[in-house]
Amino acid sequence: MENLISLVNKIQRACTALGDHGENSALPTLWDSLPAIAVVGGQSSGKSSVLESVVGKDFLPRGSGIVTRRPLVLQLHKSDEGSREYAEFLHLPRKRFTDFAAVRKEIQDETDRETGRTKQISSVPIHLSIYSPNVVNLTLIDLPGLTKVAVEGQPDSIVKDIEDMVRSYIEKPNCIILAISPANQDLATSDAIKISREVDPSGDRTIGVLTKIDLMDKGTDAVDVLEGRAMRLKFPWIGVVNRSQADINKNVDMIAARRREREYFNSTPEYKHLAHRMGSEHLGKMLSKHLETVIKSKIPGIQSLINKTIAELEAELTRLGKPVAADAGGKLYSIMEICRSFDQIFKDHLDGVRPGGDKIYNVFDNQLPAALKRLQFDKQLSMENIRKLITEADGYQPHLIAPEQGYRRLIESSLVTIRGPAEAAVDAVHSLLKDLVHKAISETVDLKQYPGLRVEVGAAAVDSLERMRDESKRATLQLVDMECSYLTVDFFRKLPQDVDKGGNPTHSIFDRYNDSYLRRIGTTILSYVNMVCATLRHSIPKSIVYCQVREAKRSLLDHFFTELGKMETKRLSSLLNEDPAIMERRGALAKRLELYRSAQAEIDAVAWSK
């Protein structure tokens, strides 16, 4: 199962490189779901010495006060026997450190780069990987030491700031807490135990480590704690003996220090019976084994999160659209495909697949008939107007049989008013078609990706609609003008003749037309005009559909496509010049998706091999 921790380490490094970890997100991430061990302790509790003992190298900064001022994510990788030991920082990719004194200096320098040469702290972690045949596969997070008071150069909030930072790590349910407490202090005042109990009251995630056992007052020992009587945790307490400051000053190496630690527990009567589970060497092995067990138990949850996140990332990438092609042909093809997608959505609205097309029918079925009914033909066909137009049409010489010119003028003056409703119907359909264009643009996902292309497509579609409107208006008004220019012959054949009605040519013109005869003329003309209105009520929609709706479906972007073929590469690129924020977002999502798919494949392989 060693490869399982190595796999988790690999995924954690990839998550960090992509920013997919808890520090940058309020949402559950793959980093949050991966178990890790957080090292918690008060200042001068021996925390750094414990870590160095587990690693077997001097590599951590030392000094008084707050030395660890940024979280250190330490990943240990067991390499093949005989291979060279080295360290790598995530912020210095491909640079290997074989001198661990240089590692210490880089930790100090990187801390200062973030916080300055002050005693301030930062929650931005440093990521360090150590490869050695002398370590176990393990991930440890060294957190700043808890303190009770601020020292000179620190804000008053430093105590709370450190507690909040530590708590943000250890409150995660997948975090294993390594609580470091010095044996030469009362355990009831241990900062590590206090904060661990706040987030893990049952102690299921807490492993207690007792340091400085060799520095306890004479006549006292830590047996009650190590045997779990003073404070019981789920896992047995582990005691360690760190190097003394004198040993550090003399550069006593870790191999010698571990040997002396084993000798201490084996030779001290109080601890001899516990020696098999004491010491930093045992601590490292126990932590590695426990981490493997926890990771194994968390695999189903990790797989579930990965699968869910992959689906979300794929959906988000689909919403953002495909990346832009590099060559001119690819750009032109992309634009054409996007335009076809828009055109199909527009047609779907007209054909009823999407809502909106029904409003055009409403113009023909309600708006146009209502407008025709509102025409005030009675003003044109009033007794006074009929008498005026008919007598004026005869001029100085009265008509002989029927007032044909008078009839024509009365009919034409009535029919010409139909032009208004006809034009209004054309404009109403034009307005609805423009609304559908805007709807189709907003519903074309790829157009949201390219603001320049969206504007151009919208402008081109509206220009086409305006040309179609002008043609439709011309054709529709021609229908009205046709009715005005040529009257139906049968209408004249059915007209009553003056002689039949008792007209007397020797009388005055005004005497020849009594009110009864003028009313009959008005009724006949109104009947004819109504007949024409009924005809136009059906022919006007046909003209509008033919000139506007049908043409919009057939050739809405034809002119735009012609212009596209003439465009240079630079112009095509400007149309596909999408929002930089979207490009950056797509790139980040693609990398994150690649990470999750890789993690999915590797974790699934491990799960199936169990």
Side-chain angles (χ1 to χ4, degrees), residues 495-549:
L495 285 177
Q497 298 299 316
D498 284 350
V499 175
D500 296 337
K501 297 297 180 182
N504 187 348
T506 61
H507 292 172
S508 166
I509 290 175
F510 292 100
D511 293 337
R512 292 174 60 206
Y513 299 114
N514 56 37
D515 287 350
S516 175
Y517 183 59
L518 293 176
R519 276 195 295 271
R520 186 175 294 110
I521 291 175
T523 301
T524 304
I525 292 175
L526 182 60
S527 176
Y528 181 81
V529 169
N530 286 335
M531 178 193 72
V532 171
C533 282
T535 301
L536 290 175
R537 176 182 171 179
H538 297 294
S539 58
I540 288 174
K542 292 178 181 180
S543 174
I544 291 174
V545 168
Y546 183 84
C547 295
Q548 288 175 267
V549 181

Coordinates of all heavy atoms in Angstrom, one line a residue, residues 495-549:
L495 N -74.4 47.6 -61.1 CA -74.8 48.9 -60.6 C -76.1 49.3 -61.3 O -76.4 49.1 -62.5 CB -73.8 50.0 -61.0 CG -72.5 50.0 -60.2 CD1 -71.5 51.1 -60.7 CD2 -72.8 50.3 -58.7
P496 N -77.0 49.9 -60.5 CA -78.3 50.4 -61.1 C -78.0 51.6 -62.0 O -77.2 52.4 -61.7 CB -79.1 50.8 -59.9 CG -78.1 51.1 -58.8 CD -77.0 50.2 -59.1
Q497 N -78.8 51.8 -63.1 CA -78.6 52.9 -64.0 C -79.5 54.0 -63.6 O -80.6 53.8 -63.1 CB -79.0 52.4 -65.5 CG -78.1 51.3 -66.0 CD -76.6 51.7 -66.0 OE1 -76.3 52.8 -66.5 NE2 -75.7 50.9 -65.5
D498 N -79.1 55.3 -63.9 CA -79.9 56.4 -63.6 C -81.3 56.4 -64.2 O -82.3 56.8 -63.5 CB -79.2 57.7 -64.0 CG -78.0 58.0 -63.1 OD1 -77.9 57.4 -62.0 OD2 -77.2 58.9 -63.5
V499 N -81.4 56.0 -65.4 CA -82.7 56.0 -66.1 C -83.7 55.1 -65.4 O -84.8 55.4 -65.2 CB -82.5 55.6 -67.6 CG1 -83.9 55.5 -68.3 CG2 -81.6 56.7 -68.3
D500 N -83.1 53.9 -65.0 CA -84.0 53.0 -64.3 C -84.5 53.5 -63.0 O -85.5 53.1 -62.5 CB -83.2 51.7 -64.1 CG -82.8 51.0 -65.4 OD1 -83.5 51.2 -66.4 OD2 -81.8 50.2 -65.4
K501 N -83.7 54.4 -62.4 CA -84.1 55.0 -61.1 C -84.8 56.3 -61.3 O -85.1 56.9 -60.3 CB -82.8 55.2 -60.3 CG -82.0 53.9 -60.0 CD -82.9 52.9 -59.2 CE -82.1 51.7 -58.9 NZ -82.9 50.7 -58.1
G502 N -85.2 56.6 -62.5 CA -86.1 57.8 -62.7 C -85.3 59.1 -62.8 O -85.8 60.2 -62.6
G503 N -84.0 59.0 -63.2 CA -83.2 60.2 -63.3 C -83.7 61.0 -64.5 O -84.1 60.5 -65.6
N504 N -83.7 62.3 -64.4 CA -84.1 63.2 -65.5 C -83.0 64.1 -65.9 O -82.6 65.0 -65.2 CB -85.3 64.0 -65.0 CG -85.9 64.8 -66.2 OD1 -85.3 64.9 -67.3 ND2 -87.1 65.4 -66.0
P505 N -82.4 63.8 -67.1 CA -81.2 64.6 -67.6 C -81.5 66.1 -67.7 O -80.5 66.9 -67.7 CB -80.9 64.0 -68.9 CG -81.5 62.6 -68.9 CD -82.8 62.8 -68.1
T506 N -82.7 66.5 -67.8 CA -83.0 67.9 -68.0 C -83.0 68.7 -66.7 O -82.9 69.9 -66.7 CB -84.4 68.1 -68.6 OG1 -85.4 67.5 -67.7 CG2 -84.4 67.4 -70.0
H507 N -83.0 67.9 -65.6 CA -82.9 68.6 -64.3 C -81.5 68.9 -63.9 O -80.5 68.4 -64.4 CB -83.6 67.7 -63.2 CG -85.1 67.6 -63.4 ND1 -85.9 66.7 -62.7 CD2 -86.0 68.2 -64.3 CE1 -87.1 66.8 -63.1 NE2 -87.2 67.7 -64.0
S508 N -81.4 69.7 -62.8 CA -80.0 70.0 -62.2 C -79.4 68.7 -61.7 O -80.1 67.8 -61.3 CB -80.2 71.0 -61.1 OG -79.0 71.1 -60.3
I509 N -78.1 68.8 -61.8 CA -77.3 67.6 -61.3 C -77.7 67.3 -59.8 O -77.9 66.2 -59.4 CB -75.8 67.8 -61.4 CG1 -75.4 67.8 -62.8 CG2 -75.0 66.8 -60.6 CD1 -73.9 68.1 -63.1
F510 N -77.8 68.3 -59.0 CA -78.1 68.2 -57.6 C -79.5 67.6 -57.4 O -79.8 67.0 -56.4 CB -78.0 69.5 -56.8 CG -76.5 69.9 -56.8 CD1 -76.0 70.9 -57.6 CD2 -75.6 69.3 -55.8 CE1 -74.7 71.2 -57.6 CE2 -74.3 69.7 -55.8 CZ -73.8 70.6 -56.7
D511 N -80.4 67.9 -58.4 CA -81.8 67.4 -58.3 C -81.8 65.9 -58.7 O -82.7 65.1 -58.3 CB -82.7 68.2 -59.2 CG -82.9 69.6 -58.6 OD1 -82.6 69.8 -57.4 OD2 -83.2 70.5 -59.4
R512 N -80.9 65.5 -59.5 CA -80.9 64.1 -60.0 C -80.6 63.1 -59.0 O -81.0 61.9 -59.1 CB -79.9 63.9 -61.2 CG -80.2 64.7 -62.4 CD -79.1 64.6 -63.4 NE -78.9 63.2 -63.8 CZ -77.7 62.7 -64.3 NH1 -76.7 63.5 -64.3 NH2 -77.6 61.5 -64.6
Y513 N -79.9 63.4 -57.9 CA -79.5 62.4 -56.9 C -80.2 62.8 -55.6 O -79.7 63.7 -54.9 CB -78.0 62.4 -56.7 CG -77.2 62.0 -57.9 CD1 -76.4 62.9 -58.6 CD2 -77.4 60.7 -58.4 CE1 -75.7 62.5 -59.7 CE2 -76.7 60.3 -59.6 CZ -75.9 61.2 -60.2 OH -75.2 60.8 -61.4
N514 N -81.2 62.1 -55.3 CA -81.9 62.3 -54.0 C -81.1 61.5 -53.0 O -80.3 60.7 -53.3 CB -83.4 61.9 -54.1 CG -83.6 60.5 -54.6 OD1 -82.8 59.6 -54.3 ND2 -84.6 60.3 -55.4
D515 N -81.5 61.7 -51.8 CA -80.8 61.0 -50.7 C -80.9 59.5 -50.8 O -79.9 58.8 -50.5 CB -81.4 61.5 -49.3 CG -81.0 62.9 -49.0 OD1 -80.1 63.4 -49.7 OD2 -81.5 63.4 -48.0
S516 N -82.0 59.0 -51.2 CA -82.2 57.5 -51.3 C -81.2 57.0 -52.3 O -80.5 55.9 -52.1 CB -83.6 57.2 -51.8 OG -83.7 55.8 -52.0
Y517 N -81.0 57.6 -53.4 CA -80.1 57.1 -54.5 C -78.6 57.2 -54.0 O -77.8 56.3 -54.2 CB -80.2 58.0 -55.7 CG -79.4 57.5 -56.9 CD1 -79.5 56.2 -57.3 CD2 -78.4 58.3 -57.5 CE1 -78.7 55.7 -58.4 CE2 -77.7 57.9 -58.5 CZ -77.8 56.6 -59.0 OH -77.0 56.1 -60.0
L518 N -78.3 58.3 -53.3 CA -76.9 58.5 -52.7 C -76.6 57.4 -51.7 O -75.5 56.9 -51.6 CB -76.7 59.9 -52.2 CG -76.8 61.0 -53.2 CD1 -76.6 62.4 -52.5 CD2 -75.6 60.9 -54.2
R519 N -77.6 57.1 -50.9 CA -77.4 56.0 -49.9 C -77.2 54.7 -50.5 O -76.4 53.9 -50.1 CB -78.6 56.0 -48.9 CG -78.6 57.0 -47.8 CD -79.6 56.7 -46.7 NE -80.9 56.8 -47.2 CZ -81.6 57.9 -47.1 NH1 -81.1 59.0 -46.7 NH2 -82.9 57.9 -47.6
R520 N -77.9 54.5 -51.6 CA -77.7 53.2 -52.4 C -76.3 53.1 -52.9 O -75.6 52.1 -52.9 CB -78.7 53.1 -53.5 CG -78.7 51.7 -54.2 CD -79.8 51.6 -55.2 NE -81.1 51.6 -54.6 CZ -82.0 52.6 -54.7 NH1 -81.7 53.7 -55.4 NH2 -83.2 52.5 -54.1
I521 N -75.8 54.3 -53.4 CA -74.4 54.3 -53.9 C -73.4 54.0 -52.8 O -72.5 53.2 -52.9 CB -74.1 55.7 -54.5 CG1 -74.8 55.8 -55.8 CG2 -72.6 55.8 -54.8 CD1 -74.7 57.2 -56.4
G522 N -73.6 54.6 -51.6 CA -72.8 54.4 -50.4 C -72.8 53.0 -50.0 O -71.7 52.4 -49.7
T523 N -74.0 52.4 -50.0 CA -74.1 51.0 -49.6 C -73.4 50.0 -50.5 O -72.7 49.1 -50.1 CB -75.6 50.6 -49.5 OG1 -76.3 51.4 -48.5 CG2 -75.7 49.1 -49.0
T524 N -73.5 50.3 -51.8 CA -72.9 49.5 -52.8 C -71.3 49.6 -52.7 O -70.6 48.6 -52.7 CB -73.3 49.9 -54.2 OG1 -74.7 49.8 -54.3 CG2 -72.7 49.0 -55.3
I525 N -70.9 50.8 -52.5 CA -69.4 51.0 -52.4 C -68.9 50.3 -51.1 O -67.8 49.7 -51.1 CB -69.1 52.5 -52.5 CG1 -69.4 53.1 -53.8 CG2 -67.6 52.7 -52.1 CD1 -69.2 54.5 -54.0
L526 N -69.6 50.5 -50.0 CA -69.2 49.9 -48.8 C -69.1 48.4 -48.9 O -68.2 47.7 -48.4 CB -70.1 50.3 -47.6 CG -69.8 49.7 -46.2 CD1 -68.4 50.2 -45.8 CD2 -70.8 50.1 -45.2
S527 N -70.1 47.8 -49.6 CA -70.1 46.4 -49.9 C -68.9 46.0 -50.6 O -68.2 44.9 -50.3 CB -71.4 46.0 -50.6 OG -71.3 44.6 -50.9
Y528 N -68.5 46.8 -51.6 CA -67.3 46.4 -52.4 C -66.0 46.6 -51.6 O -65.2 45.7 -51.6 CB -67.2 47.4 -53.6 CG -66.0 47.1 -54.5 CD1 -66.1 46.0 -55.4 CD2 -64.9 47.8 -54.4 CE1 -65.0 45.8 -56.2 CE2 -63.8 47.5 -55.2 CZ -63.8 46.5 -56.1 OH -62.7 46.2 -56.9
V529 N -66.0 47.6 -50.8 CA -64.8 47.9 -50.0 C -64.6 46.7 -49.0 O -63.5 46.2 -48.7 CB -64.8 49.2 -49.3 CG1 -63.7 49.4 -48.2 CG2 -64.7 50.3 -50.3
N530 N -65.7 46.3 -48.4 CA -65.6 45.2 -47.4 C -65.2 43.9 -48.1 O -64.5 43.1 -47.5 CB -67.0 45.0 -46.8 CG -67.3 46.0 -45.7 OD1 -66.4 46.7 -45.2 ND2 -68.6 46.3 -45.5
M531 N -65.6 43.7 -49.4 CA -65.2 42.6 -50.1 C -63.7 42.6 -50.3 O -63.0 41.6 -50.2 CB -65.9 42.5 -51.4 CG -65.5 41.3 -52.3 SD -66.1 41.5 -54.0 CE -65.0 42.8 -54.6
V532 N -63.2 43.8 -50.7 CA -61.7 43.9 -50.9 C -61.0 43.7 -49.5 O -59.9 43.1 -49.5 CB -61.4 45.3 -51.4 CG1 -59.9 45.6 -51.5 CG2 -62.0 45.5 -52.8
C533 N -61.5 44.2 -48.4 CA -60.9 44.1 -47.1 C -60.8 42.6 -46.8 O -59.7 42.1 -46.3 CB -61.7 44.8 -46.0 SG -61.4 46.6 -46.0
A534 N -61.8 41.8 -47.1 CA -61.8 40.4 -46.8 C -60.7 39.7 -47.6 O -60.1 38.8 -47.1 CB -63.2 39.8 -47.1
T535 N -60.6 40.2 -48.9 CA -59.6 39.6 -49.7 C -58.2 39.9 -49.2 O -57.3 39.0 -49.1 CB -59.7 40.1 -51.2 OG1 -61.0 39.7 -51.6 CG2 -58.7 39.5 -52.1
L536 N -58.0 41.2 -48.9 CA -56.7 41.6 -48.4 C -56.3 41.0 -47.0 O -55.1 40.8 -46.7 CB -56.6 43.2 -48.3 CG -56.6 43.9 -49.7 CD1 -56.6 45.4 -49.5 CD2 -55.3 43.5 -50.5
R537 N -57.3 40.8 -46.2 CA -57.1 40.2 -44.9 C -56.3 38.8 -45.0 O -55.6 38.4 -44.2 CB -58.4 40.0 -44.2 CG -58.2 39.3 -42.8 CD -59.5 39.0 -42.1 NE -59.3 38.2 -40.9 CZ -60.3 37.8 -40.1 NH1 -61.5 38.2 -40.3 NH2 -60.0 37.0 -39.1
H538 N -56.6 38.1 -46.1 CA -55.9 36.8 -46.4 C -54.6 37.0 -47.2 O -53.7 36.2 -47.0 CB -56.9 35.9 -47.1 CG -58.1 35.6 -46.2 ND1 -58.0 34.9 -45.0 CD2 -59.4 35.9 -46.4 CE1 -59.2 34.7 -44.5 NE2 -60.1 35.4 -45.3
S539 N -54.6 38.0 -48.1 CA -53.5 38.1 -49.0 C -52.3 38.9 -48.4 O -51.1 38.6 -48.7 CB -53.9 38.8 -50.3 OG -54.4 40.1 -50.1
I540 N -52.6 39.8 -47.5 CA -51.5 40.5 -46.8 C -50.7 39.6 -46.0 O -49.5 39.6 -46.1 CB -52.1 41.7 -46.0 CG1 -52.6 42.8 -46.9 CG2 -51.1 42.2 -45.0 CD1 -53.3 44.0 -46.2
P541 N -51.2 38.7 -45.1 CA -50.4 37.8 -44.4 C -49.5 36.9 -45.3 O -48.4 36.6 -45.0 CB -51.4 36.9 -43.6 CG -52.6 37.8 -43.4 CD -52.6 38.6 -44.6
K542 N -50.1 36.5 -46.4 CA -49.3 35.7 -47.4 C -48.1 36.4 -47.9 O -47.0 35.9 -48.0 CB -50.2 35.2 -48.5 CG -51.3 34.2 -48.1 CD -52.2 33.9 -49.3 CE -53.3 32.9 -48.8 NZ -54.2 32.5 -50.0
S543 N -48.4 37.7 -48.2 CA -47.3 38.5 -48.7 C -46.2 38.7 -47.7 O -45.0 38.6 -47.9 CB -47.8 39.9 -49.2 OG -46.7 40.7 -49.5
I544 N -46.6 38.9 -46.4 CA -45.7 39.2 -45.3 C -44.9 37.9 -45.0 O -43.7 37.9 -44.8 CB -46.4 39.7 -44.0 CG1 -47.0 41.1 -44.3 CG2 -45.5 39.6 -42.8 CD1 -47.9 41.6 -43.1
V545 N -45.6 36.8 -45.0 CA -44.9 35.5 -44.7 C -43.9 35.2 -45.8 O -42.7 34.8 -45.6 CB -45.9 34.4 -44.5 CG1 -45.2 33.0 -44.5 CG2 -46.7 34.5 -43.2
Y546 N -44.3 35.4 -47.0 CA -43.4 35.1 -48.2 C -42.2 36.0 -48.2 O -41.1 35.6 -48.4 CB -44.2 35.3 -49.5 CG -43.4 35.0 -50.7 CD1 -43.3 33.6 -51.1 CD2 -42.7 35.9 -51.4 CE1 -42.5 33.3 -52.2 CE2 -41.9 35.6 -52.5 CZ -41.8 34.3 -52.9 OH -41.1 34.0 -54.0
C547 N -42.4 37.3 -47.9 CA -41.3 38.3 -48.0 C -40.4 38.4 -46.8 O -39.3 38.7 -46.9 CB -41.8 39.7 -48.4 SG -42.6 39.8 -50.0
Q548 N -41.0 38.1 -45.6 CA -40.3 38.3 -44.4 C -40.0 37.0 -43.7 O -38.8 36.6 -43.5 CB -41.1 39.3 -43.4 CG -41.1 40.7 -43.9 CD -42.0 41.6 -43.0 OE1 -43.1 41.8 -43.3 NE2 -41.4 42.1 -41.9
V549 N -41.0 36.3 -43.3 CA -40.8 35.1 -42.5 C -40.1 34.0 -43.2 O -39.1 33.4 -42.8 CB -42.2 34.5 -41.9 CG1 -41.9 33.3 -41.1 CG2 -42.9 35.6 -41.1

